[in-house]
Amino acid sequence: MSALFRYRCWVCIAAIFSCAPQAASGDFKQKGYFESYLRAFPQTTDNDSGQAVADSRFVYEPSYTTGNKQLTFFASLETEIDSHHQTDRDLEFSWWDRSERRPLFSVRRLSALYRKGILTAEFGKQFIRWGKTDILNPTDRFTPKDYVSVIDTEYLAVTAARFTVEKNANTLDLVYVPRFTPSRAPLVDQRWLPFPANVGNIPITTSAIYPSGSQFGIRFGRVEKNIEYSFSYFDGYNTLPIFQPQILSEVPPRVNLLRTYAKLRAGGGDFALPLRWFTVKSEAEMLSSPTAALDEYALYVVQFERQLKEWLFVGGYTGDAITRHGAPFQFAADRGLARAVIGRAQWTIDPNRNLAFEAVVRQNGQGMYGKAEYSQTFKQHWRATVSMVGIGGSSTDFLGQYHHNSFGSIVLRYSF
């Protein structure tokens, strides 16, 4: 993407939303926030001696709705910088989110939404969420994530055309994605991509080959008196990479980690069933691939949810069943939370304060993750959040391999 094209994109975005407030018949809104956090790690790792990471970001989100309420333009623009080089330092404009590190400037969302009758159509960069359960969402195949910090992930938008038809209790959702957006993998020189101790000081570089094809998905949902359910199908690519080590030279030793992305087909569904004492939610997906290097498996979640005054309790189990084993170096973050008991409790103390606890424990006891978080709003626009995260287990387990990465953090946010 040329520098001239990047410049023109920013100019067009600014022009559209600067002119919007002047349109008397329309409705212009804007919101955003500035956020800074400090994260402290008590332990170092073999490939990362840093024990503190500071990060700041600014997000601006304008929107404009035409006078007839049929057309709405959305944007979300972000700039971010951190102390640990998890963010690029150059002035590159990011649209496709294919950079190894987080971009300094990015367009998180830029789309047009059209509504008329039973039809809703959205075109552009947008977030597409199909999952319904907590912690793990097997059916969210259009939702790449930022795994630079594996335990603290963020969703990434995709450039897509989405058509939704709603009639009575039925919903039909069609999605077309012309160009692939990958999940952002952990950085090779930092603690969230641990290497065996015998790797030592071998220089390791990274590169990627991205698939050129499009992606398609369809989802049918229905809401009845006592149950809500849906069925979905996805034909596209796995957003999680397969790492292929390449020996560039033996003397001196140099290795490149090539990221490739396998073809993926997935079918599944979900349901929510309110009962007297709790609500049962379940979500499952069967994944297959013509790419032999990718595992084929089923992934599912069963959870129970109950609201008790100011408390919300969620508990359940995540499981998987592997039907074919592929390459050994797969970053299978979705299955990293499978075969585990999950739990979450949230207490809304008052409108300004809440306390939350979250835990994932693998059924074999070799990996566990726990989080305690307190958040408080003050002076109308400010919110402070303090959290403690503990990780333990065996180095052979997906969660356990991060046992040196327990941390505490404080986040301060100003919203407008």
Side-chain angles (χ1 to χ4, degrees):
M1 187 181 290
S2 68
L4 179 59
F5 178 76
R6 300 186 200 107
Y7 172 76
R8 287 175 176 173
C9 285
W10 281 115
V11 171
C12 289
I13 294 169
I16 290 172
F17 288 98
S18 64
C19 295
Q22 302 175 18
S25 60
D27 181 22
F28 177 77
K29 297 179 180 179
Q30 57 182 337
K31 63 179 181 178
Y33 62 87
F34 175 80
E35 177 181 274
S36 289
Y37 75 70
L38 177 65
R39 184 172 295 167
F41 299 88
Q43 296 177 286
T44 61
T45 63
D46 291 336
N47 63 333
D48 193 340
S49 61
Q51 292 183 264
V53 178
D55 183 285
S56 294
R57 71 176 66 184
F58 174 74
V59 176
Y60 176 59
E61 298 179 334
S63 65
Y64 173 70
T65 302
T66 57
N68 58 12
K69 307 298 183 181
Q70 290 184 347
L71 187 61
T72 302
F73 298 95
F74 295 96
S76 180
L77 313 176
E78 178 181 87
T79 179
E80 180 178 7
I81 192 70
D82 75 283
S83 63
H84 208 55
H85 291 272
Q86 296 176 345
T87 304
D88 282 329
R89 295 294 193 266
D90 55 38
L91 300 179
E92 290 290 320
F93 172 92
S94 175
W95 178 271
W96 300 108
D97 288 311
R98 288 185 169 184
S99 60
E100 182 179 355
R101 300 177 190 273
R102 295 167 181 158
L104 182 62
F105 299 102
S106 65
V107 176
R108 300 176 71 242
R109 181 181 183 183
L110 184 63
S111 65
L113 181 71
Y114 175 77
R115 302 183 185 89
K116 187 171 184 179
I118 63 173
L119 174 67
T120 300
E122 186 168 4
F123 304 92
K125 194 169 186 180
Q126 56 190 285
F127 294 92
I128 300 174
R129 297 293 316 280
W130 279 357
K132 296 297 183 182
T133 54
D134 293 86
I135 299 181
L136 180 63
N137 299 115
T139 63
D140 257 350
R141 293 298 143 187
F142 283 111
T143 313
K145 291 184 178 181
D146 182 327
Y147 287 102
V148 170
S149 297
V150 174
I151 300 300
D152 186 17
T153 59
E154 294 183 355
Y155 296 108
L156 301 177
V158 296
T159 301
R162 184 179 189 180
F163 302 89
T164 304
V165 179
E166 296 184 64
K167 187 173 179 61
N168 300 326
N170 302 310
T171 302
L172 183 65
D173 202 10
L174 302 173
V175 178
Y176 173 75
V177 176
R179 195 164 189 255
F180 174 74
T181 298
S183 289
R184 187 168 289 123
L187 299 173
V188 70
D189 59 346
Q190 297 192 12
R191 64 172 62 239
W192 295 104
L193 189 60
F195 287 102
N198 58 6
V199 171
N201 296 320
I202 297 176
I204 299 176
T205 59
T206 60
S207 59
I209 298 177
Y210 299 111
S212 58
S214 59
Q215 302 180 97
F216 169 79
I218 182 170
R219 181 176 186 266
F220 170 78
R222 181 174 174 82
V223 179
E224 296 187 358
K225 182 178 180 180
N226 296 318
I227 189 171
E228 176 182 350
Y229 60 88
S230 73
F231 302 98
S232 60
Y233 174 77
F234 170 85
D235 190 332
Y237 300 93
N238 193 359
T239 67
L240 299 173
I242 298 172
F243 289 104
Q244 298 182 7
Q246 298 175 318
I247 299 177
L248 302 180
S249 68
E250 294 184 359
V251 182
R254 289 189 302 121
V255 176
N256 179 68
L257 284 182
L258 176 67
R259 301 190 306 276
T260 61
Y261 300 85
K263 183 71 176 177
L264 184 66
R265 298 186 183 95
D270 59 75
F271 73 85
L273 177 63
L275 300 176
R276 181 180 179 183
W277 297 105
F278 49 78
T279 297
V280 181
K281 291 183 179 180
S282 183
E283 188 175 333
E285 190 90 306
M286 184 70 193
L287 301 99
S288 63
S289 175
T291 305
L294 184 68
D295 289 352
E296 291 187 342
Y297 56 95
L299 192 63
Y300 62 91
V301 180
V302 179
Q303 73 174 49
F304 304 91
E305 182 178 304
R306 177 169 171 78
Q307 183 80 45
L308 187 62
K309 294 184 178 180
E310 290 80 22
W311 281 92
L312 174 64
F313 298 96
V314 177
Y317 179 79
T318 63
D320 70 347
I322 301 175
T323 58
R324 186 189 73 186
H325 288 279
F329 301 107
Q330 300 179 51
F331 181 63
D334 52 354
R335 282 183 291 139
L337 299 178
R339 301 187 185 185
V341 177
I342 60 175
R344 179 176 175 82
Q346 182 170 321
W347 177 28
T348 303
I349 303 171
D350 56 43
N352 297 320
R353 298 179 297 162
N354 60 71
L355 181 66
F357 303 93
E358 184 176 287
V360 178
V361 181
R362 300 273 274 192
Q363 67 182 27
N364 58 10
Q366 294 186 6
M368 58 198 70
Y369 153 82
K371 179 179 181 180
E373 182 177 275
Y374 173 78
S375 183
Q376 179 170 341
T377 301
F378 57 97
K379 293 186 177 180
Q380 189 176 0
H381 296 284
W382 291 92
R383 174 172 287 274
T385 303
V386 180
S387 59
M388 299 293 294
V389 173
I391 308 171
S394 168
S395 298
T396 59
D397 183 84
F398 179 85
L399 283 174
Q401 67 181 330
Y402 301 116
H403 59 271
H404 292 299
N405 290 6
S406 299
F407 64 87
S409 72
I410 181 168
V411 182
L412 188 63
R413 173 182 288 199
Y414 176 83
S415 302
F416 60 89

